[in-house]
């Protein structure tokens, strides 16, 4: 069973996907005159339709995404986190409020908050090794959100609210895409951190017993006996000659001694 903190990105991604599909399906078959209506006006006309459901689901999914980001210690502390919470609260109020004016104000606050969140995340993610892969796509989406917010501001005031619905839906789509990019990277980081401990736990460390080398037995050197200089080698003939010489020497010595004794007498 997966821990709760690992379910956050999966729940957030699934919620955003369902909310996006709901919004897209709800816009199919809508006449062109509806593009002049704000998101709040469309929600008021539907009253309990796909627009309110999509906003509520987006708010819950964004809250799960924020919880997942905090669980992996993503660099979103401070203003990015606060602005994302503002987005969540504004969407929630817009989804449950029956007053069209309140819905319009909450939608405007939500769109501006998430545009600022995306811009701040670009710089933070660019300095973080784990989040750097989504830095470039998020940068383009943040630029699109900033441009869409500028167009929406122009349309709402000097533009006499012409095609304001189109500007709002387009900006909302860009911002949901930015959240989806962050959610995908969060899923990757969460799954990679979940696989590494599991692999370590399944594969036990290999313990190698120390191999003691057998003592080397040096055989006694078999050397041929070589007579040294102190032990001369004598052949049988030489031995016989030496024995005869010694016998003659002994005999001569004995005879000399006998002759001396006789001469004294």
């Amino acid at each position: 069973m997966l821990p709760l903190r690992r379910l956050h990105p999966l729940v957030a991604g699934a919620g955003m996907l369902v909310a996006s599909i709901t919004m897209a399906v709800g816009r199919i078959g809508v006449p062109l005159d509806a593009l002049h209506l704000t998101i709040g006006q469309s929600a008021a006309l539907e009253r309990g339709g796909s627009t309110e459901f999509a906003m509520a689901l987006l708010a819950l999914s964004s809250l799960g995404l924020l919880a997942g980001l905090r669980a992996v210690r993503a660099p979103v502390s401070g203003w990015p986190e606060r602005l994302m919470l503002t987005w969540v609260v504004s969407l929630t109020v817009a989804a449950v409020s029956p007053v069209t004016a309140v819905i319009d104000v909450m939608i405007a606050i939500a769109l501006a908050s998430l545009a600022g969140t995306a811009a701040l995340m670009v710089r933070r993610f660019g300095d973080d090794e784990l989040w750097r892969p989504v830095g470039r796509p998020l940068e383009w989406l943040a630029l699109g959100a900033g441009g869409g917010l500028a167009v929406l501001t122009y349309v709402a005031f000097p533009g006499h609210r012409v095609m304001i619905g189109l500007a709002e839906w387009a900006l909302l789509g860009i911002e949901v895409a930015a959240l989806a990019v962050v959610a995908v990277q969060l899923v990757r980081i969460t799954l990679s951190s979940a696989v590494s401990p599991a692999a370590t736990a399944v594969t036990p460390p290999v313990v190698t017993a120390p191999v003691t080398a057998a003592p080397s037995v040096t055989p006694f050197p078999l050397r041929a006996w070589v007579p040294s200089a102190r032990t001369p080698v004598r052949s049988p003939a030489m031995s016989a000659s030496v024995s005869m010489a010694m016998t003659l020497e002994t005999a001569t010595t004995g005879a000399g001694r006998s002759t001396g004794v006789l001469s004294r007498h």
Side-chain angles (χ1 to χ4, degrees):
M1 184 176 179
L2 289 175
L4 184 60
R5 66 183 184 87
R6 294 178 184 172
L7 290 176
H8 288 152
L10 299 178
V11 172
M16 289 178 189
L17 180 62
V18 174
S20 302
I21 294 175
T22 303
M23 286 189 298
V25 172
R27 296 296 93 194
I28 296 176
V30 175
L32 293 178
D33 294 339
L35 296 178
H36 297 282
L37 301 177
T38 62
I39 295 178
Q41 292 171 346
S42 299
L45 290 176
E46 295 176 2
R47 191 53 60 191
S50 61
T51 303
E52 292 181 352
F53 174 76
M55 288 191 297
L57 191 56
L58 272 178
L60 292 176
S61 302
S62 301
L63 189 61
L65 178 61
L66 182 58
L69 291 173
R70 295 184 63 179
V72 298
R73 298 180 181 180
V76 294
S77 60
W79 278 108
E81 183 178 358
R82 296 169 190 167
L83 291 175
M84 198 165 181
L85 285 175
T86 304
W87 153 270
V88 171
V89 173
S90 301
L91 278 184
T92 303
V93 174
V96 300
S97 177
V99 182
T100 305
V102 174
I103 299 175
D104 285 338
V105 173
M106 291 295 104
I107 290 295
I109 294 175
L111 294 175
S113 299
L114 196 57
T117 303
L120 293 175
M121 282 183 176
V122 169
R123 185 180 63 182
R124 299 267 184 104
F125 287 176
D127 297 334
D128 192 277
E129 184 178 357
L130 291 176
W131 295 91
R132 193 171 297 148
V134 298
R136 181 64 64 178
L138 190 60
E139 181 179 0
W140 286 105
L141 291 171
L143 289 174
L149 188 61
V151 171
L152 179 60
T153 304
Y154 174 81
V155 170
F157 295 104
H160 306 288
R161 302 174 66 88
V162 177
M163 306 291 284
I164 189 172
L166 177 61
E168 283 187 347
W169 284 110
L171 179 56
L172 182 61
I174 293 174
E175 292 181 350
V176 171
L179 289 177
V181 168
V182 176
V184 169
Q185 183 64 15
L186 178 60
V187 171
R188 290 178 180 174
I189 294 175
T190 305
L191 292 180
S192 62
S193 63
V195 168
S196 299
T200 305
V202 171
T203 307
V206 179
V207 180
T208 57
V211 179
T212 305
S216 59
V217 179
T218 305
F220 185 79
L222 300 177
R223 295 181 299 177
W225 180 77
V226 179
S228 61
R230 296 180 181 178
T231 56
V233 180
R234 297 174 180 177
S235 61
M238 183 180 295
S239 299
S241 301
V242 171
S243 299
M244 187 178 296
M246 292 177 64
T247 303
L248 290 176
E249 182 179 359
T250 303
T252 305
T253 305
R257 288 178 182 177
S258 300
T259 305
V261 171
L262 294 174
S263 61
R264 288 177 186 176
H265 290 288

